[in-house]
Amino acid sequence: MRAITEFELIEEGDKILLGISGGKDSIFMAYAMAMMQKRLKKNFQLQALTINPMFSEDFDTERIRGFMEELGIPFASFPVDIAGTIENQGGKDPCYTCAFFRRGAVNRYAKEQGCNKVAYAHHHDDAVETFFMGLLYSGQLHTFTPKTYLDKMDLTVIRPLVYFREAEIREAIQYHGFEPVPSPCPYDGHTIRQKVKDLIQEISQDNPQLYSHLAAAMRQDAIGELWAPAKTRKEMQKQYFSYMYGKQQ
């Protein structure tokens, strides 16, 4: 409720497509959004979509369908050969490839269905880990935002679980009763994100405040004094000649 209120995630007349993987996070999101639909004084619609990435023949979309029916959320599922695409990527990051093609399929379906918003189940741990990953692996301070407008698609992406910790979502299974569908991803547990997750846990043993400090640092008002952007050779040329030759060139 805080996330919905603070970031204005739900508005009157919204038609929201929920991206459902069948894992604990997206299942809880569907459950929570169904509860919000009953309790909020806003008229909005929900739909759910599961993309089958074709990693395994045992991916159980029917159990997901059954739970969505219990919640009263219209459900659809179709395959996208993400597994085959990754094999042909020549060693590129499989997580990036998977996310790119999955998002593309979800966005296209959302537009076909007349949805104006897409909801993903990223939680607070995801945001902190993404922030730390950006610092360690790209030298940038960034993470995903709770609400993002995609101008090319004319869609708004919302993440209503951004204030939930992962452990809270895991414990919530006792309320909705759905045992998560095992991830079909062969890279699950062997990703850069998992390394960062493990690193946070490891450092937190000596510094219990690490997680809260990372969370605070990803706010825009946390930026302290930083170096100016690096200048190009052209931008430094005049000053360089003044040092070397005592005059501007």
Side-chain angles (χ1 to χ4, degrees):
M1 192 63 216
R2 174 177 174 175
I4 291 171
T5 303
E6 181 176 350
F7 304 110
E8 301 179 18
L9 301 185
I10 298 176
E11 299 167 286
E12 183 71 22
D14 277 347
K15 190 172 183 181
I16 305 171
L17 180 65
L18 310 178
I20 305 297
S21 68
K24 68 182 189 314
D25 304 332
S26 63
I27 288 296
F28 177 68
M29 177 181 69
Y31 172 75
M33 291 292 278
M35 296 302 102
M36 291 293 100
Q37 191 177 38
K38 294 178 180 179
R39 297 179 182 182
L40 298 184
K41 302 301 181 183
K42 295 284 186 181
N43 180 30
F44 63 96
Q45 300 178 51
L46 298 175
Q47 288 186 234
L49 174 67
T50 295
I51 300 296
N52 181 352
M54 301 178 66
F55 287 121
S56 169
E57 296 181 358
D58 300 325
F59 187 49
D60 191 359
T61 58
E62 289 309 304
R63 201 155 62 84
I64 302 172
R65 183 186 302 277
F67 187 65
M68 293 302 116
E69 290 177 354
E70 290 180 23
L71 296 176
I73 301 175
F75 176 79
S77 177
F78 56 81
V80 175
D81 189 13
I82 294 174
T85 302
I86 289 175
E87 288 183 4
N88 296 323
Q89 286 293 302
K92 293 183 180 179
D93 181 16
C95 294
Y96 174 83
T97 300
C98 181
F100 179 83
F101 284 96
R102 191 187 297 267
R103 284 197 304 265
V106 170
N107 290 345
R108 286 192 297 273
Y109 184 81
K111 295 297 292 183
E112 291 170 2
Q113 296 296 307
C115 297
N116 66 310
K117 289 181 179 176
V118 172
Y120 291 120
H122 299 116
H123 47 67
H124 198 263
D125 292 63
D126 288 328
V128 168
E129 289 159 12
T130 299
F131 176 76
F132 203 24
M133 285 168 60
L135 176 62
L136 296 179
Y137 289 91
S138 70
Q140 296 179 322
L141 298 176
H142 66 88
T143 189
F144 56 78
T145 55
K147 184 178 182 181
T148 306
Y149 178 65
L150 308 178
D151 55 354
K152 291 183 179 180
M153 297 295 296
D154 190 27
L155 281 172
T156 298
V157 174
I158 62 173
R159 297 176 170 92
L161 303 188
V162 288
Y163 280 131
F164 276 95
R165 293 297 307 271
E166 184 175 17
E168 294 174 314
I169 295 174
R170 189 176 293 111
E171 293 172 357
I173 295 174
Q174 64 183 304
Y175 301 112
H176 57 68
F178 184 91
E179 189 65 30
V181 174
S183 172
C185 176
Y187 304 97
D188 190 32
H190 305 281
T191 62
I192 292 175
R193 179 174 293 277
Q194 186 62 48
K195 290 182 180 179
V196 170
K197 184 188 293 287
D198 294 341
L199 180 59
I200 291 174
Q201 292 180 351
E202 179 183 346
I203 300 176
S204 294
Q205 293 177 10
D206 296 323
N207 178 12
Q209 299 301 314
L210 174 68
Y211 184 91
S212 60
H213 288 167
L214 288 172
M218 68 183 186
R219 294 283 188 170
Q220 290 182 358
D221 60 359
I223 302 299
E225 189 171 359
L226 298 174
W227 290 13
K231 293 183 178 180
T232 65
R233 292 175 66 90
K234 185 175 182 180
E235 290 172 328
M236 293 188 290
Q237 188 177 47
K238 289 184 178 180
Q239 192 63 42
Y240 171 77
F241 280 116
S242 73
Y243 282 122
M244 296 301 293
Y245 305 110
K247 61 180 179 178
Q248 300 284 340
Q249 295 290 326

